[in-house]
Amino acid sequence: MTLPPRLIAPAAFAAAAGLAVLAATWAASAIESRTAAEVQSLMTREGLTWVGVTTDGLQVRLAGTAPTEALRFRAVNLTASLVEAGRIRDRMDVTPAQAIQAPRFSVELLRNNNGISLIGLVPAAEDAPALAEEVAAATDGAEVADMLTRADYPAPEGWDRAVSFGLTALAMLPQSKISIDAGRVSVTAISGSEAEKRRLEAELDRARPEGLAVSVTISAPRPVLTPFTLRFLKDDRGARFDACSADTEAARNRIIAAAVAAGLTGEADCTIGLGVPTPRWAEAAEVAIRAVGELGAGSVTFSDADVSLLATLETPQAAFDRIVGELEAALPEVFSLKATLPEKPKTSAPEGPAEFIATLSADGAVQLRGRLTDETLRDAVGSFAAARFGAADVYMATRLDPDLPEGWAVRVLTGLQAMSELNEGQVIVRADIVEVTGVTALTGARAAITRTLSGGLGQGQAFTVEVRYDEALDPQAALPTPQECVTALNGILKKQKITFAPGSAEIESAARGTMDALADQMRKCPDIAMEIGGHTDSQGRDSSNLALSQARAEAVLLGLQGRRVLVGSLTAVGYGETRPLADNDSPSGREANRRIEFTLPGQVAATAAGPAPAPAPGSPAAGASAPPAPQPAPRPGDTPAAAAPAPEEPFVSSAPDEPTRRARQRPQAE
């Protein structure tokens, strides 16, 4: 139908007006959506994920609950950097501040001959001067030093009951310290005798209110023992004490336990008293009693710091030398030892060759036993062993014998030098031979020991070397290969992802266990050059993704460094979205693409993490003709083999990118 000429102009005008309205509506809607997306993206980048952004015309509305007033104000200021302040509508709430909790109330009552002191914090409802008056009344007007502080809070449940019991205990105990809490009272005091102690404990138990936890420690005075004496002997009648003294309950228990280990049966009486010559009395008694037990028969007597050890005629000379040497080494310096071996009838039979024995255990402990010529040699041997094996690991129990063969010092020091090549073993030095036996973790240790002995002992001197190499102890043989290290690291990260704060490179606390496991594995690897690669999905701009992946890779490197891992051979590289593992069209694919990977230099990460997510029908990944994943430009050091996937099993590790980034997602065609 043809419009009359007079209607053509109005119809055209109406159509133009309609089109203009539609265009304006579409433009306004687009502007509102873009504005909301940009503001929301800014909030996310700044870590204000609790802010919700909506638009209504030109108005930008902010909603959510701010943790603090300062953060609410910051959200408004950030929004004002993108839109005019007059267009912002602040509809945010602020988390209310938590109520201040009541403090912990407690009082200590200290009583001695000088009076009573009150120290602590009491509720405001408790009249501090009145409490001091109650204390004075309970103690017959004793002088009270009031140092109490009050707080304006109600008394906790059980407070009055605890204070009442504390005052009762204070009245009974002239020498005491009483600590009072709402649900517990601790009493520490001194009594005049054992009988008085038992009486006070019974009275306090009767006075204790129902439901109140009470701890009572009352001590009685101890007798002064002069001299402080202990005598332990073992013969055909068995092991027993003629006298036993200790300075504490714990010391008495240690001494009796040592006697039981040496053969004591039945009960033993050991007096706890004052006058001990040194706090290390129990330690000295233990080692001396143990020495008697090792002798099999004999006695040890302590008179203050003088110690007498008496063996029997049946004690072998070698055993006596060893046991006396160990006892001399173990006794604290304050004690003086005199050891006696009854003289045997003279005989032409030799006592056996003089020996020096050095033993190295698997845990690195070194024991030095046997004979040395003088104090100078003993100091030299001790210093040499401490330098070679560590002072804390060396135990010396040697005896001096000035009649040892000539050249004894050289033989001993050479043997110790040879033992430093071992992981575990023994060196025996005699006048006619030096024997070295043991296990080593060094393939050339046998030859090195032979050189040491031949050069140190001199020409024509006899020695034997029975040393076995154990590959399991070799630190280099046990180290994993570079590829095994990478595979192990990737396996850890496949089990548990490293998660990051949304839109940032901050590693979340939930990933702390994963980082610890990575650090532990790195310490098992040698100094291997490896690359920490950061990867993202395709959402967002290329430059932003590249920067974020680089920052996250560097965060992992710094996290390892903070766990005392040597990171000099590690490199952090961000690849952005250029090396996807899966299709970015699906959430599972994007999740797989957000990751951290370990690779060796010149090695490209694997392109699938186990079974790849099934591609959507029609997607590029669905057909065999799908284009390969884009690769970054070659870097220095890359080799042609870099084009092949790494043989290790790959993994995925990172947090999902924040949902608000979907507003910036590009069309698939890009």
Side-chain angles (χ1 to χ4, degrees):
M1 183 180 67
T2 303
L3 290 176
R6 67 177 181 279
L7 297 180
I8 292 177
F13 180 78
L19 290 174
V21 170
L22 290 175
T25 302
W26 178 85
S29 177
I31 292 173
E32 289 180 9
S33 299
R34 182 178 181 83
T35 299
E38 290 181 354
V39 173
Q40 188 72 72
S41 178
L42 177 60
M43 295 296 110
T44 301
R45 290 197 304 272
E46 295 297 327
L48 306 179
T49 55
W50 46 269
V51 179
V53 181
T54 59
T55 56
D56 184 7
L58 296 178
Q59 293 182 0
V60 177
R61 298 174 178 174
L62 305 180
T65 302
T68 64
E69 183 65 31
L71 289 177
R72 184 198 67 79
F73 187 68
R74 184 164 181 259
V76 174
N77 283 347
L78 288 173
T79 305
S81 68
L82 297 179
V83 300
E84 295 179 2
R87 295 169 52 193
I88 301 173
R89 298 295 181 266
D90 181 6
R91 297 184 178 178
M92 295 179 287
D93 298 323
V94 179
T95 302
Q98 295 182 353
I100 301 176
Q101 296 182 350
R104 175 179 173 269
F105 294 110
S106 64
V107 175
E108 278 200 352
L109 312 178
L110 308 176
R111 184 180 182 186
N112 53 36
N113 294 331
N114 297 324
I116 301 172
S117 299
L118 307 183
I119 306 171
L121 179 67
V122 298
E126 180 73 36
D127 191 346
L131 178 58
E133 292 173 4
E134 287 186 48
V135 169
T139 54
D140 297 328
E143 184 178 352
V144 178
D146 186 358
M147 293 176 280
L148 293 175
T149 303
R150 292 184 295 174
D152 190 14
Y153 287 91
E157 183 180 356
W159 174 257
D160 293 336
R161 179 179 56 181
V163 170
S164 177
F165 177 77
L167 293 175
T168 300
L170 186 69
M172 297 168 55
L173 303 168
Q175 303 282 336
S176 60
K177 181 184 77 169
I178 301 172
S179 302
I180 302 174
D181 287 291
R184 183 179 183 84
V185 176
S186 298
V187 178
T188 305
I190 299 175
S191 65
S193 64
E194 281 290 335
E196 184 182 12
K197 171 187 174 181
R198 290 191 292 271
R199 178 181 62 80
L200 291 172
E201 289 175 341
E203 291 182 4
L204 288 173
D205 185 62
R206 287 194 296 268
R208 180 179 63 87
E210 188 70 25
L212 178 65
V214 175
S215 172
V216 177
T217 303
I218 301 178
S219 58
R222 300 173 183 172
V224 177
L225 305 177
T226 306
F228 219 75
T229 306
L230 183 146
R231 176 174 170 80
F232 179 80
L233 65 158
K234 187 173 183 180
D235 54 21
D236 53 1
R237 294 167 49 196
R240 61 192 182 278
F241 283 108
D242 277 350
C244 181
S245 304
D247 55 329
T248 65
E249 186 76 29
R252 179 172 64 180
N253 293 339
R254 290 175 61 181
I255 292 171
I256 293 177
V260 171
L264 177 69
T265 58
E267 296 184 0
D269 184 18
C270 198
T271 303
I272 298 177
L274 303 176
V276 66
T278 170
R280 300 179 68 181
W281 173 266
E283 177 186 347
E286 278 183 316
V287 296
I289 292 170
R290 184 165 61 244
V292 174
E294 292 180 0
L295 286 173
S299 67
V300 63
T301 303
F302 284 76
S303 180
D304 285 337
D306 295 330
V307 184
S308 300
L309 179 68
L310 178 63
T312 65
L313 287 172
E314 290 75 23
T315 304
Q317 180 71 49
F320 181 76
D321 289 344
R322 175 181 62 81
I323 293 170
V324 170
E326 292 180 349
L327 182 56
E328 286 180 339
L331 281 174
E333 292 184 0
V334 70
F335 291 94
S336 174
L337 173 66
K338 181 179 180 180
T340 303
L341 178 64
E343 187 175 353
K344 297 181 179 180
K346 294 187 180 294
T347 176
S348 59
E351 291 288 347
E355 289 182 340
F356 172 84
I357 302 175
T359 304
L360 173 63
S361 64
D363 60 359
V366 175
Q367 296 184 1
L368 307 178
R369 292 186 170 88
R371 301 190 189 188
L372 298 174
T373 54
D374 50 34
E375 288 287 352
T376 301
L377 178 57
R378 179 148 61 184
D379 292 343
V381 169
S383 299
F384 185 88
R388 287 282 181 171
F389 305 102
D393 295 324
V394 175
Y395 170 73
M396 179 176 286
T398 57
R399 190 181 184 199
L400 303 184
D401 184 355
D403 298 326
L404 292 171
E406 184 179 356
W408 192 259
V410 173
R411 303 175 72 80
V412 168
L413 294 174
T414 302
L416 289 177
Q417 183 177 356
M419 193 174 73
S420 64
E421 300 287 340
L422 302 177
N423 279 58
E424 179 183 359
Q426 187 177 71
V427 172
I428 300 177
V429 178
R430 299 191 182 97
D432 58 340
I433 194 169
V434 175
E435 301 175 358
V436 180
T437 59
V439 181
T440 180
L442 305 174
T443 55
R446 188 183 184 90
I449 292 173
T450 301
R451 287 192 297 268
T452 298
L453 294 177
S454 61
L457 299 178
Q459 185 177 9
Q461 298 298 315
F463 63 86
T464 61
V465 180
E466 295 293 337
V467 174
R468 175 176 58 85
Y469 168 73
D470 189 345
E471 183 178 354
L473 300 176
D474 190 343
Q476 294 299 322
L479 290 175
T481 65
Q483 187 58 63
E484 289 172 343
C485 285
V486 169
T487 302
L489 292 168
N490 289 347
I492 292 171
L493 290 167
K494 184 178 180 181
K495 293 178 182 178
Q496 179 63 50
K497 292 184 177 183
I498 297 176
T499 56
F500 296 88
S504 77
E506 179 183 355
I507 299 176
E508 293 184 332
S509 59
R512 188 174 302 163
T514 303
M515 291 298 300
D516 291 342
L518 289 176
D520 291 341
Q521 180 60 41
M522 289 290 296
R523 296 186 190 97
K524 300 176 184 177
C525 295
D527 190 18
I528 299 175
M530 284 186 284
E531 178 182 285
I532 304 174
H535 304 268
T536 67
D537 57 27
S538 63
Q539 292 182 318
R541 296 188 298 272
D542 292 349
S543 59
S544 298
N545 288 338
L546 189 63
L548 181 61
S549 64
Q550 178 69 37
R552 287 181 171 178
E554 292 175 354
V556 174
L557 188 146
L558 292 175
L560 293 173
Q561 185 180 33
R563 287 164 172 80
R564 299 182 180 275
V565 173
L566 298 178
V567 297
S569 59
L570 301 181
T571 305
V573 179
Y575 290 99
E577 61 191 73
T578 61
R579 293 185 176 181
L581 295 180
D583 188 2
N584 278 299
D585 282 348
S586 65
S588 61
R590 291 192 293 272
E591 172 72 13
N593 292 334
R594 295 187 291 264
R595 67 196 189 278
I596 295 291
E597 287 182 318
F598 282 85
T599 58
L600 297 174
Q603 185 181 62
V604 177
T607 57
S619 67
S625 61
Q631 302 293 331
R635 296 180 290 112
D638 282 352
T639 63
E648 80 274 16
E649 189 176 17
F651 70 97
V652 179
S653 176
S654 77
D657 292 349
E658 62 278 9
T660 54
R661 291 186 58 186
R662 295 176 185 171
R664 299 189 287 121
Q665 185 174 359
R666 297 167 295 167
Q668 179 66 24
E670 296 181 13

